[in-house]
Every structure is written in C-alpha cells, then in structure tokens.
Amino acid sequence: DNTRRIFQQFLSQKLKQYDGSRPRLQTLKKRRAAFLTSDGPTRVATFLLDEGESIEVVWDMLRLPEHARGYPYVAELASAYTRNAMRAPSYRDYIRPILRFLSEHGRKSTYKRCLSSMVLRLDQDEPVEERENVVQIAFQKIGDPAHTPEWQPWTGATENERDNLDSARQTLNNWIAQRFITAFFDKVAMDEDRRAFWLQYAPHVTRFKVFGDRNTRHKLRRDDRIRQYVDQRFSSIGGSKSVLLMQIKDRVIVEFGKTGGACYIHRKGAPSCPSFDQRYSHIRQLRIGTDFPLLMRYSGRTYRDVKEQGRFLHKHDWERRLHWWMRKKLGIET
C-alpha cells in the first residue's frame, strides 16, 4: 500500500506510451483511469450510472478475466455503484442487475456492503417485489439477521459502514417480525386485536420465535409470506398450544395462541424469563399462571402497583393500558 501510488503512476505512464496491438493492454490504456487512480472504481460506477447502464456491462467494458471477478477492485466497484444507484429515483430498476453481478463476484463481504444499502433504501418505501428478493438473498448469502455473528462487519469497514450494516440487519429482522406477527395472529391465534396491537411495535422487535405443535407449524408454512423462514424461527413443543416469543428492548414478551389468555412480560435475564434458544418439552414450561404478579392494577384511567415485569390480562380496553405501560417503562411511542 505504501508504494501503490508510485506504482500506479509508473504503470499509467507506460500504458500511455504503449502503441502495440494486444487487446488487454489496449483496454488497460483506454481505461487506465479506472484501474490506476485511487478512485478508479468510483469513476467507473459513476460513468455507468450517468450512462444509464447496468453494472453487468462492466465485465465486457473492462475486459476483466474470469479469475478477476472476485477481486477487491470489483468489491469497491459494486459498493460504489450500489451506493449511488440507491440514491436514484428509479433505484428499484438497479436491484436485480446488482444481485446478478454479486452472484458472479461471490464475496460475502461485498454482499454485506451492497445489501445494507439496498435494505435501508427499500425500508423508506412501501413493500415492493424487490424487497422480497433482497430478503431471500440476504438469508442465503449472509444468514439469518437474528444471528448477529453472521452479520459481523467485514475487515476494514468504516464506522459508518458498520452502523449501516447493523441497521440493515435490524431492519431485515423487523420485516420478518411483521410477517410472523401477522401470520401468527391470523392463522394460529386468530385474534385481530392483538395482531393490530403488536404490529405497531414490530419496528422495535429485536428477536422473536414461535413455539408450537405440528399443527401450528403446518398453519405457518401455508402462509406464503413466511413459508421459507418458518423452520429458522420455529421450535416444536408439546401441549397442543402455541406461543409467540418477542423481545422488545430488555423485555421478553410471551403471547399465547389461545384467545383470552394472559400475556407475560419478563425482564430479560430474570429467573423466570424464557430463552429463545432453549428447547421446551411442554407449553406449561412457559406458563407461570397466578404465581407471576399482575403487571399493573387499574381503576378507570388510574394505574397503581405498576411492575417492571408481570402478567397482563387482555380485558376490556386492554390496548390503552398496555400502550401506557410500554410508553412508561420502555419509552416507546406508537
């Protein structure tokens, strides 16, 4: 790296003087600014976007040999192209060509760089078809966003790139959480009120999992929105019942599929708090019953004996009371 600039200048001068007929050297001479300047990849990306060209044309344009497709140069080019393409009004038109380009490049670190830009841009709009493509590729090439180790920053990532990658990981997880919340309360619990309530908090869900029997798994797999993610977010349990486990900030929330049952809110790390990673043999292991104190008591709009964790009953006007607790204890406004 210390001599790169000197070497680039030397090569640039030699190419400028070259008057031979070898095709690869002619390409290098014509495109030497693309290869022999520090911002070469960015220049190429800008040129392609200004011309309205797909990133895929770069293989022919630069005449890169097959073995060069995985090089760091290509990673820089893909990153610069994606970053700028996602700022364009027609950004969605660029997503599929970029994904095809990345499949030929094949580097996991480059997928992280490019997909993070795509995810954050797609999150600014209503769900579109391209969002599903990005979700599928992210799961395949990087991993489940719930598994933080698979989403560690690449070597040399800047602080801004690290922040963007983590934001993209959380955004992906939230997209999947919204689908699971909808499917769980539509197909399993069949409770429209609880579905509407928890969807408001889906952007704050950092982890979730469904525990249930074979019938529950079958119902979820019939939902096209989550079919391919069910096995990663589902754990079998006995008792012919189902549970949706969600983490919001430092609280783990247990919602049972059965309508009319209590909701349990645990402080993460407390002795009673269930684990996302533990295998439970029966539903009763997640149900504490009256041994768990009430989350709050109330009289009209007056609340008393408000706890940090506890059992909450879905009784008349329960949404207002639970909204109040979420705002009071977790600082979340909806």
Side-chain angles (χ1 to χ4, degrees):
D1 284 348
N2 293 333
T3 58
R4 177 180 297 180
R5 189 172 179 181
I6 297 171
F7 189 47
Q8 286 175 328
Q9 290 173 347
F10 172 78
L11 287 176
S12 184
Q13 183 64 27
K14 291 299 179 182
L15 285 168
K16 188 176 181 180
Q17 296 169 354
Y18 178 72
D19 59 2
S21 59
R22 296 177 66 179
R24 184 160 294 167
L25 289 179
Q26 287 180 333
T27 299
L28 282 171
K29 180 178 181 178
K30 181 181 178 182
R31 303 291 186 187
R32 62 184 183 275
F35 295 109
L36 301 175
T37 60
S38 58
D39 63 343
T42 301
R43 289 191 186 193
V44 175
T46 302
F47 171 77
L48 291 174
L49 289 167
D50 287 346
E51 295 295 315
E53 293 283 3
S54 162
I55 191 173
E56 294 173 290
V57 306
V58 81
W59 302 127
D60 292 330
M61 179 179 130
L62 299 182
R63 298 198 178 194
L64 293 171
E66 191 71 27
H67 66 266
R69 296 194 174 195
Y71 277 13
Y73 179 90
V74 178
E76 293 293 336
L77 171 60
S79 179
Y81 185 93
T82 305
R83 187 170 58 250
N84 288 300
M86 291 303 102
R87 296 172 182 154
S90 58
Y91 76 96
R92 286 182 291 178
D93 296 337
Y94 294 103
I95 290 178
R96 292 193 183 195
I98 292 173
L99 293 177
R100 289 194 297 266
F101 183 85
L102 291 176
S103 70
E104 296 189 55
H105 173 61
R107 301 298 182 186
K108 186 174 182 178
S109 59
T110 314
Y111 272 108
K112 290 180 178 180
R113 298 170 73 171
C114 296
L115 287 174
S116 59
S117 295
M118 291 182 187
V119 168
L120 295 178
R121 181 63 183 88
L122 284 164
D123 194 49
Q124 297 175 27
D125 289 343
E126 292 297 314
V128 292
E129 184 179 351
E130 288 76 15
R131 180 183 287 194
E132 182 58 32
N133 293 334
V134 169
V135 172
Q136 291 182 22
I137 295 297
F139 267 77
Q140 292 170 12
K141 301 300 182 179
I142 303 177
D144 191 332
H147 301 155
T148 307
E150 295 181 349
W151 285 76
Q152 290 300 305
W154 58 94
T155 302
T158 65
E159 184 176 351
N160 186 57
E161 288 172 329
R162 289 170 176 266
D163 290 342
N164 285 344
L165 180 64
D166 190 55
S167 295
R169 182 188 66 79
Q170 293 182 42
T171 299
L172 276 170
N173 200 53
N174 290 336
W175 289 351
I176 303 298
Q178 290 176 34
R179 299 180 190 184
F180 267 82
I181 289 170
T182 301
F184 182 81
F185 289 112
D186 276 353
K187 304 291 179 66
V188 180
M190 292 181 285
D191 190 323
E192 185 176 337
D193 292 339
R194 285 193 288 165
R195 180 197 65 192
F197 180 88
W198 289 115
L199 277 176
Q200 297 175 70
Y201 292 94
H204 304 280
V205 173
T206 55
R207 199 170 182 188
F208 67 92
K209 194 170 190 178
V210 176
F211 292 85
D213 58 13
R214 185 180 301 176
N215 186 46
T216 301
R217 186 196 295 263
H218 177 67
K219 288 179 179 178
L220 294 176
R221 279 180 169 171
R222 291 175 62 188
D223 193 305
D224 292 338
R225 295 165 295 188
I226 63 170
R227 177 184 293 116
Q228 58 190 316
Y229 312 116
V230 169
D231 289 344
Q232 296 156 308
R233 304 299 182 97
F234 186 91
S235 184
S236 297
I237 194 169
S240 300
K241 297 291 188 297
S242 56
V243 168
L244 175 62
L245 214 63
M246 299 177 285
Q247 181 175 337
I248 297 178
K249 292 195 172 182
D250 66 341
R251 299 303 199 280
V252 174
I253 298 157
V254 183
E255 275 281 20
F256 292 91
K258 181 180 178 181
T259 302
C263 166
Y264 296 159
I265 298 180
H266 302 264
R267 184 184 284 278
K268 187 172 174 58
S272 62
C273 184
S275 169
F276 287 89
D277 301 316
Q278 184 174 336
R279 294 187 66 85
Y280 296 99
S281 59
H282 200 278
I283 199 77
R284 58 174 169 264
Q285 293 174 274
L286 297 171
R287 184 183 291 114
I288 305 174
T290 55
D291 290 339
F292 205 33
L294 287 173
L295 190 65
M296 66 175 81
R297 297 183 184 277
Y298 63 94
S299 178
R301 292 181 177 268
T302 301
Y303 305 99
R304 64 183 189 279
D305 197 19
V306 180
K307 301 286 197 309
E308 296 295 321
Q309 61 176 14
R311 178 169 48 96
F312 183 80
L313 305 178
H314 298 99
K315 292 186 175 181
H316 175 69
D317 203 21
W318 64 268
E319 294 96 333
R320 175 177 58 82
R321 297 192 297 276
L322 194 49
H323 276 313
W324 179 90
W325 187 91
M326 299 287 280
R327 183 170 62 250
K328 179 79 173 177
K329 294 298 182 179
L330 300 186
I332 300 176
E333 298 279 355
T334 59

